[in-house]
């Protein structure tokens, strides 16, 4: 009775008002569950294909009716009767059915929608929460969140080139206490910006997006906010960066087109990071320090800084086990960003996380800049127990939904709940 009986897809909207898919899976016993697919803006070139209609008459070509058609047609026909509890088998079937290396035929949005909706239905069928069924031995570790309180780059209409400035509440006994401190700091940052006459409107991930004097000023402002909120930077709250430089890497140079129009070589970028780390020891994690096409830059960055801080690969690894495994061999990064829709199935996502664990890499479970109220990543983060999640700032409903889900899970786990806290930070900083 746990066989897949029906798949339905709906063209819904993401947090930027762009179409995306909601997929509902119904099992033969009547159990039904829905998953909603996110969408990135600063995407890696080698991400699995997000299928868009290209019909300019609808949503500027961004409609997903073709993907909806595949879910309800070809995919449904192929998986009807399949055991919902065999996630691996289902995901393999979906990949085989697509038949391309990058899910370019049916679309990673169609495939992930099905994969994730069935994962939810299987959990419901067992009467368990998703975090308890995603992996064989689920952890009970609440992740340390990275809250992206200042947005730049492609996520904001400002003059800051760097995309993400995150705060991570490491020095607290529980997830809820850590979240509270981070949220209070977010509110204090608003006051700090306001007093300086800066705009407090927000970007795609809910962080403030003011016009600033430099790419460095956000760090200064955040440090001020942490202190004014009554916390100690570097001890209670640390800073994570994601410059997302694939977006400003041009002809072998990093071009700060939004701020001072300067140009930097890979070596100069590394020197810049080194100078920041010296000045701001509160920075402990750097995601995408180098552009995805700057392989040599990545190797050099890892050699220079890999023993001092967490170096997270996002655009370069694209949650793809094959690409990630090559990166590990090449000595690139020491952690990976995990985004379900970069690869398109639950199983391949879990494979990537396992690969990280096996090779001593960290893994940060992540939202996309285009999100919905889907909270699967909160459950995923707890289940795999890698201790980290980034899912935006302390405003915008689609970000808050994930934090609220983590609060629920914390309550559900009760005294069994553990908080990753400083354990993630200590790994690099002793
Ligand atoms: P994206 O950004 O979802 O727009 O790709 C998130 C990130 O770069 O981490
Ligand atoms: Zn990133």
């Amino acid at each position: 009775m746990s066989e897949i009986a029906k798949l339905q897809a709906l063209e819904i909207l993401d947090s930027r008002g762009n179409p995306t898919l909601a997929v509902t899976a119904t099992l033969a016993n009547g159990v039904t569950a829905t998953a909603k697919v996110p969408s990135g803006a600063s995407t890696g070139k080698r991400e699995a294909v997000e299928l868009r209609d290209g019909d300019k008459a609808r949503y500027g070509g961004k409609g997903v009716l073709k993907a909806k058609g595949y879910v309800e047609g070809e995919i449904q026909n192929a998986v009807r009767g399949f055991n919902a509890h065999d996630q691996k088998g289902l995901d393999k079937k979906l990949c085989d059915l697509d038949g391309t290396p990058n899910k370019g035929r049916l679309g990673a949005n169609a495939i992930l929608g099905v994969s994730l909706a069935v994962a939810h239905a299987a959990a419901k069928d067992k009467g368990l929460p998703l975090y308890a069924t995603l992996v064989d031995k689920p952890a009970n570790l609440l992740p340390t969140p990275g809250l992206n309180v200042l947005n730049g780059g492609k996520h904001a209409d400002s003059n800051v080139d760097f995309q993400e400035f995150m705060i991570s509440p490491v020095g607290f006994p529980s997830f809820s206490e850590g979240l509270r401190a981070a949220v209070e700091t977010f509110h204090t940052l608003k006051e700090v910006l306001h007093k300086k006459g800066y705009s407090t409107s927000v970007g795609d991930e809910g962080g403030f997006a003011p016009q600033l004097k430099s790419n460095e000023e956000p760090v200064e402002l955040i440090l001020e906010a942490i202190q004014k909120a009554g916390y100690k930077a570097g001890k209670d709250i640390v800073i994570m960066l994601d410059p997302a430089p694939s977006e400003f890497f041009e002809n072998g140079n990093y071009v700060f087109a939004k701020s001072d129009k300067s140009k930097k070589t890979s070596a100069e970028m590394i020197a810049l990071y080194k100078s920041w780390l010296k000045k701001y020891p509160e920075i402990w994690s750097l995601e995408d320090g180098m552009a995805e096409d700057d392989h040599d830059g990545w190797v050099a960055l890892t050699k220079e800084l890999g023993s001092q801080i967490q170096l997270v690969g996002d655009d370069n690894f694209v949650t793809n086990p094959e690409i990630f495994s090559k990166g590990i061999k090449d000595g690139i990064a020491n952690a990976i960003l995990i985004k379900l829709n970069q690869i398109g199935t639950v199983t391949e996502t879990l494979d990537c996380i396992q690969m990280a664990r096996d090779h001593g890499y960290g893994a940060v479970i992540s939202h996309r800049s285009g999100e919905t109220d889907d909270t699967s990543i909160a459950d995923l983060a707890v289940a795999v127990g890698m201790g980290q999640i980034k899912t935006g700032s302390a405003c915008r409903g689609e970000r808050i939904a994930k934090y609220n889900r983590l609060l629920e899970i914390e309550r559900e786990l009760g005294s069994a709940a553990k908080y990753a806290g400083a354990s993630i930070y200590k790994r690099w900083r002793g």
Side-chain angles (χ1 to χ4, degrees):
M1 290 297 277
S2 303
E3 304 88 49
I4 299 166
K6 190 175 176 186
L7 293 178
Q8 287 166 292
L10 185 65
E11 184 185 60
I12 60 164
L13 298 173
D14 72 13
S15 54
R16 280 190 280 252
N18 291 325
T20 189
L21 277 188
V23 174
T24 300
T26 304
L27 308 187
N29 57 14
V31 167
T32 169
T34 299
K36 298 169 190 172
V37 179
S39 172
S42 63
T43 48
K45 281 185 200 155
R46 292 184 291 176
E47 291 192 20
V49 173
E50 183 178 70
L51 192 68
R52 300 269 178 202
D53 297 339
D55 171 5
K56 292 278 182 227
R58 295 188 73 254
Y59 291 118
K62 288 188 172 166
V64 292
L65 294 181
K66 274 186 203 160
K68 170 183 155 69
Y70 283 135
V71 171
E72 295 183 343
E74 213 179 312
I75 297 178
Q76 174 166 232
N77 290 339
V79 305
R80 195 182 281 121
F82 201 87
N83 177 8
H85 295 289
D86 179 8
Q87 185 78 41
K88 252 189 203 161
L90 171 75
D91 289 341
K92 183 171 184 313
K93 207 174 174 68
L94 292 170
C95 291
D96 290 348
L97 184 67
D98 175 77
T100 73
N102 61 358
K103 305 187 176 64
R105 194 174 75 80
L106 301 171
N109 40 354
I111 292 174
L112 177 64
V114 173
S115 177
L116 201 52
V118 173
H120 277 279
K124 237 179 167 180
D125 189 39
K126 283 187 174 156
L128 291 169
L130 185 64
Y131 64 83
T133 60
L134 272 174
V135 295
D136 286 343
K137 286 189 192 137
N140 51 5
L141 190 67
L142 271 296
T144 307
L147 285 86
N148 182 8
V149 292
L150 209 139
N151 299 181
K154 223 177 175 176
H155 295 168
D157 187 18
S158 73
N159 58 355
V160 177
D161 298 281
F162 285 13
Q163 182 178 280
E164 302 179 17
F165 296 83
M166 293 168 269
I167 53 172
S168 224
V170 290
F172 299 87
S174 65
F175 173 78
S176 43
E177 284 299 286
L179 183 65
R180 179 170 66 81
V183 172
E184 288 168 5
T185 302
F186 170 72
H187 291 144
T188 309
L189 179 60
K190 185 171 186 173
E191 286 165 26
V192 168
L193 293 171
H194 188 72
K195 277 206 183 115
K196 291 188 196 300
Y198 289 142
S199 157
T200 55
S201 58
V202 298
D204 287 359
E205 297 189 349
F208 301 114
Q211 301 287 343
L212 298 176
K213 295 185 193 80
S214 66
N215 288 321
E216 193 174 334
E217 199 182 359
V219 181
E220 298 277 357
L221 293 165
I222 288 170
L223 288 174
E224 187 180 335
I226 294 172
Q227 192 240 330
K228 287 212 166 116
Y231 299 107
K232 204 169 168 344
K235 187 170 172 284
D236 299 326
I237 297 179
V238 291
I239 296 178
M240 305 169 77
L241 302 177
D242 177 8
S246 302
E247 299 299 326
F248 53 86
F249 188 59
E250 287 166 28
N251 305 318
N253 281 299
Y254 294 87
V255 184
F256 290 178
K258 293 183 105 187
S259 57
D260 61 9
K261 320 284 181 245
S262 69
K263 234 186 210 183
K264 286 189 170 36
T265 63
S266 307
E268 285 166 345
M269 280 298 277
I270 295 172
L272 177 73
Y273 295 136
K274 278 174 95 168
S275 72
W276 280 28
L277 293 181
K278 216 166 161 196
K279 203 164 160 193
Y280 309 113
E282 299 84 3
I283 298 173
W284 82 281
S285 176
L286 175 64
E287 177 182 328
D288 281 353
M290 293 291 151
E292 62 182 301
D293 292 332
D294 189 4
H295 182 270
D296 295 349
W298 256 113
V299 173
L301 177 78
T302 310
K303 276 203 184 114
E304 290 269 354
L305 296 178
S307 62
Q308 290 174 46
I309 55 166
Q310 173 171 260
L311 296 173
V312 187
D314 170 13
D315 288 352
N316 55 344
F317 293 156
V318 292
T319 317
N320 182 315
E322 225 170 277
I323 296 173
F324 180 35
S325 123
K326 191 172 176 304
I328 295 172
K329 279 197 197 94
D330 292 349
I332 284 174
N334 55 31
I336 179 173
L337 201 77
I338 298 292
K339 292 166 166 166
L340 283 152
N341 81 321
Q342 278 184 329
I343 186 68
T345 65
V346 170
T347 303
E348 290 163 288
T349 304
L350 293 172
D351 287 349
C352 241
I353 296 168
Q354 189 55 43
M355 193 175 282
R357 201 194 309 274
D358 291 346
H359 291 86
Y361 273 56
V364 184
I365 311 304
S366 173
H367 64 162
R368 297 308 304 245
S369 52
E371 268 292 339
T372 69
D373 56 347
D374 186 288
T375 57
S376 309
I377 59 165
D379 286 70
L380 175 66
V382 173
V384 299
M386 296 296 279
Q388 295 186 69
I389 193 169
K390 69 164 201 179
T391 184
S393 187
C395 72
R396 294 192 64 131
E398 75 281 2
R399 318 291 147 186
I400 295 300
K402 279 73 161 172
Y403 293 123
N404 284 345
R405 174 65 187 144
L406 286 164
L407 289 170
E408 279 174 10
I409 297 175
E410 183 182 49
R411 182 184 61 183
E412 253 170 49
L413 288 172
S415 58
K418 293 201 166 45
Y419 178 48
S423 62
I424 50 152
Y425 172 66
K426 282 192 175 137
R427 188 168 156 196
W428 278 274
R429 295 296 185 82

